[in-house]
Amino acid sequence: MAYQWLAAATMVAHFAFLAYVVAGGFLAWWRPCLIWPHVVAVGWGFATVALGLDCPLTYVEDWARRKAGEQGLSRGFIDTYLTGVVYPERYTLLLQVLAGLVVLTSWVGFLLRRRAARDRA
């Protein structure tokens, strides 16, 4: 039972991390100190997709599911829970580009807000 809970908690944490990667830059508009953790998160997210790095959250979920007697993850987190489930595989590149544009928009907005705040000071 504990392994099932760990697997589920890891899955939720992974979804939260993905949401943070895509939209976390907007949090930095509110709390500027959050820009650096977001830059790191985006770098890690990009590296896992572009370079094929293994994500430790995927490893933990797979391990916990196997320990719980369930089938582990045969593919990565995104391939298991999003691609072909939430959106068709043919839209993967489009959605990656859109996620990148959301990140860039949040960063540009962050910089513009910082510049405006500095000009007011």
Side-chain angles (χ1 to χ4, degrees):
M1 180 64 129
Y3 290 117
Q4 289 173 328
W5 182 87
L6 178 60
T10 304
M11 179 184 62
V12 169
H14 216 152
F15 274 116
F17 179 77
L18 287 177
Y20 182 69
V21 166
V22 174
F26 294 106
L27 291 174
W29 292 18
W30 171 60
R31 291 282 190 255
C33 63
L34 295 176
I35 194 65
W36 297 114
H38 187 251
V39 168
V40 171
V42 169
W44 177 255
F46 180 79
T48 60
V49 172
L51 304 176
L53 297 180
D54 293 332
C55 179
L57 289 173
T58 303
Y59 172 79
V60 170
E61 182 184 352
D62 179 61
W63 174 82
R65 290 199 182 284
R66 291 179 191 279
K67 288 295 234 181
E70 299 175 11
Q71 181 178 352
L73 300 179
S74 60
R75 305 174 296 165
F77 180 83
I78 292 173
D79 292 333
T80 299
Y81 294 110
L82 299 176
T83 305
V85 177
V86 175
Y87 58 85
E89 188 173 347
R90 68 182 177 271
Y91 293 126
T92 299
L93 180 60
L94 173 64
L95 290 172
Q96 289 172 341
V97 169
L98 289 175
L101 289 173
V102 169
V103 169
L104 287 176
T105 299
S106 72
W107 288 356
V108 167
F110 171 79
L111 292 173
L112 292 174
R113 289 174 63 90
R114 295 293 289 173
R115 180 181 296 161
R118 196 175 358 193
D119 290 346
R120 282 191 304 265

